[in-house]
Amino acid sequence: MILVTGGAGFIGANFVLDWIANGDEPVVNLDKLTYAGNLHNLDSVQGNPRHIFVQGDIGDTALLERLLAEHQPRAIVNFAAESHVDRSIHGPEDFIQTNVVGTFRLLEAARQYWQALPAIKKEAFRFLHVSTDEVYGTLSATDPAFSEDNRYEPNSPYSASKAASDHLVRAWHHTYGLPVLTTNCSNNYGPLHFPEKLIPLMIVNALAGKNLPVYGDGMQVRDWLYVRDHCSAIRRVLEAGRLGETYNVGGWNEKPNIEIVNTVCALLDELRPRADGQSYKTQIAYVTDRPGHDRRYAIDARKIERELGWKPAETFDTGIRKTVQWYLDNPEWVAQVQSGAYREWVQKQYQAD
Ligand code: NAD
């Protein structure tokens, strides 16, 4: 049994689906179901006895103690976080609460649980913390890509809160010996991505005939990784990562945002041409840049390749085509995450608990 937190969100849900599909070990999935958590992401494993969903907060110590005692997981994988940079700029409080205080509470509950385990289980236990490349700050066009030795220089409230959580994880290993692993991954894309993030926003807006808002000059560079490749990296680190180590995870796909938007438009032009025959590119609209917008992130993923033999299975071309196709094939998912009806349904479902 493993305990996953944030498993109704974008990456967490992909991880849970992947986990269930690729083995027989059960998973307890603890998620608060914020606006970013979506139970429909887990429709295909609803009712599967190997998936136990619990609505709750990683900051709720009593709940954590109960879940750990009841399910006796051999590992915790922590995805739960507030994850959207723009939201962190407008309202940083939730980011501090979940990403910093929540991670602290989870670490403390994990430590107490782990310390009380019998020796053999104690040795096998793992706490894997899922983090981001944004903790390293920003790069110039000529800087080498981020390696695990880069200094932490977070620039947004989001990345600062994730950096703080990474430091707590590190300290719980150094001070208490908790068997931790940390992954710092670049931008993910793929199915189940909430349409506030660049790629799904562009797809959804394009199809709805709306503007495609591009920040500043659109030349901010990010590395992109298909979400299922991130999931396979996490599984690999959980299996074989060296305790206390951090592993950078990336797709070797550095691209400026405007190139991403153009690629999405070109795929849509091919797969779902506009009725008037024009390209979706005509909907692109440059908007005022995000304050403090980091210019470039790039990931040097050689350590995880060298030590653990992990490599992404998708190229950007194959991954982005699958992604665009998935959004075209799943309009009801998009409608659900955009509607208030979904949130009301969740409230009703879990009111009794
Ligand atoms: P997401 O916003 O889609 O999902 C986060 C999930 O966490 C949601 O289901 C939400 O309900 C849940 N959650 C939020 N606060 C919670 C709390 N207090 N207790 C329990 N559950 C809570 O995020 P994501 O994009 O899937 O990211 C998952 C993790 O991966 C985050 O830690 C993020 O920092 C990290 N990460 C994301 C990316 C990316 O490109 N999306 C890249 C690298 C790392």
Side-chain angles (χ1 to χ4, degrees):
M1 171 73 78
I2 64 163
L3 169 64
V4 164
T5 71
F10 165 47
I11 306 173
N14 273 288
F15 181 85
V16 166
L17 298 179
D18 209 42
W19 186 267
I20 299 281
N22 283 298
D24 49 21
E25 191 174 13
V27 52
V28 181
N29 182 355
L30 171 65
D31 195 296
K32 189 176 174 181
L33 295 179
T34 68
Y35 79 94
N38 181 352
L39 277 180
H40 284 303
N41 291 347
L42 300 161
D43 276 350
S44 61
V45 292
Q46 296 284 4
N48 184 322
R50 288 172 47 225
H51 175 244
I52 301 161
F53 182 80
V54 179
Q55 185 179 14
D57 194 317
I58 57 164
D60 181 344
T61 301
L63 174 63
L64 293 173
E65 286 172 356
R66 180 168 71 72
L67 289 179
L68 291 169
E70 190 177 328
H71 297 290
Q72 301 274 310
R74 67 164 179 98
I76 297 174
V77 184
N78 182 30
F79 292 96
E82 288 293 336
S83 71
H84 190 46
V85 176
D86 287 340
R87 284 180 190 257
S88 83
I89 294 167
H90 298 297
E93 178 100 29
D94 287 347
F95 288 72
I96 304 305
Q97 209 49 48
T98 285
N99 301 1
V100 185
V101 179
T103 303
F104 155 70
R105 298 244 169 87
L106 186 62
L107 279 166
E108 266 302 81
R111 175 172 77 87
Q112 277 161 28
Y113 164 73
W114 167 74
Q115 280 173 336
L117 285 174
I120 200 158
K121 287 192 171 171
K122 201 169 172 187
E123 194 159 320
F125 184 77
R126 297 289 181 268
F127 183 105
L128 193 152
H129 179 61
V130 180
S131 192
T132 163
D133 59 355
E134 302 192 26
V135 297
Y136 297 122
T138 186
L139 295 169
S140 75
T142 52
D143 284 333
F146 298 128
S147 82
E148 290 79 0
D149 299 327
N150 268 72
R151 266 175 44 179
Y152 270 36
E153 290 180 346
N155 288 323
S156 72
Y158 164 64
S159 55
S161 67
K162 289 298 291 186
S165 67
D166 293 7
H167 288 319
L168 291 173
V169 170
R170 177 189 157 87
W172 258 242
H173 176 68
H174 193 78
T175 304
Y176 305 110
L178 187 70
V180 306
L181 299 152
T182 300
T183 53
N184 293 90
C185 187
S186 57
N187 277 26
N188 284 214
Y189 68 98
L192 309 178
H193 207 180
F194 195 78
E196 64 184 354
K197 306 278 170 72
L198 181 70
I199 290 176
L201 180 72
M202 294 302 143
I203 300 171
V204 167
N205 275 14
L207 294 173
K210 293 186 184 160
N211 278 350
L212 308 180
V214 173
Y215 280 136
D217 61 2
M219 290 307 290
Q220 306 84 357
V221 172
R222 305 289 182 258
D223 173 70
W224 293 90
L225 181 69
Y226 190 67
V227 62
R228 288 295 176 105
D229 280 328
H230 188 190
C231 296
S232 74
I234 292 169
R235 278 210 314 275
R236 188 70 195 124
V237 172
L238 193 59
E239 224 167 61
R242 284 188 292 131
L243 295 186
E245 291 289 315
T246 69
Y247 292 90
N248 282 357
V249 185
W252 302 106
N253 285 313
E254 268 191 70
K255 297 196 184 294
N257 286 346
I258 188 64
E259 190 182 323
I260 299 288
V261 177
N262 281 326
T263 303
V264 167
C265 288
L267 279 167
L268 286 172
D269 287 342
E270 178 197 326
L271 299 169
R272 180 71 56 84
R274 264 175 44 162
D276 63 4
Q278 297 242 40
S279 169
Y280 288 98
K281 288 180 193 168
T282 57
Q283 290 167 233
I284 293 173
Y286 289 91
V287 298
T288 310
D289 208 352
R290 170 193 279 168
H293 206 173
D294 286 338
R295 202 65 190 159
R296 175 174 167 243
Y297 307 134
I299 275 280
D300 178 342
R302 279 177 298 180
K303 178 176 170 182
I304 187 171
E305 282 183 26
R306 193 178 57 241
E307 285 192 13
L308 306 180
W310 173 85
K311 269 196 169 110
E314 302 290 343
T315 64
F316 186 72
D317 287 350
T318 60
I320 192 70
R321 183 173 281 275
K322 279 188 184 174
T323 304
V324 171
Q325 191 64 58
W326 187 86
Y327 279 86
L328 289 174
D329 292 344
N330 289 278
E332 59 302 323
W333 181 91
V334 173
Q336 269 154 6
V337 297
Q338 288 178 320
S339 78
Y342 169 73
R343 305 207 54 192
E344 282 161 30
W345 173 77
V346 166
Q347 289 298 337
K348 270 196 217 122
Q349 275 239 319
Y350 287 93
Q351 239 160 23
D353 288 2

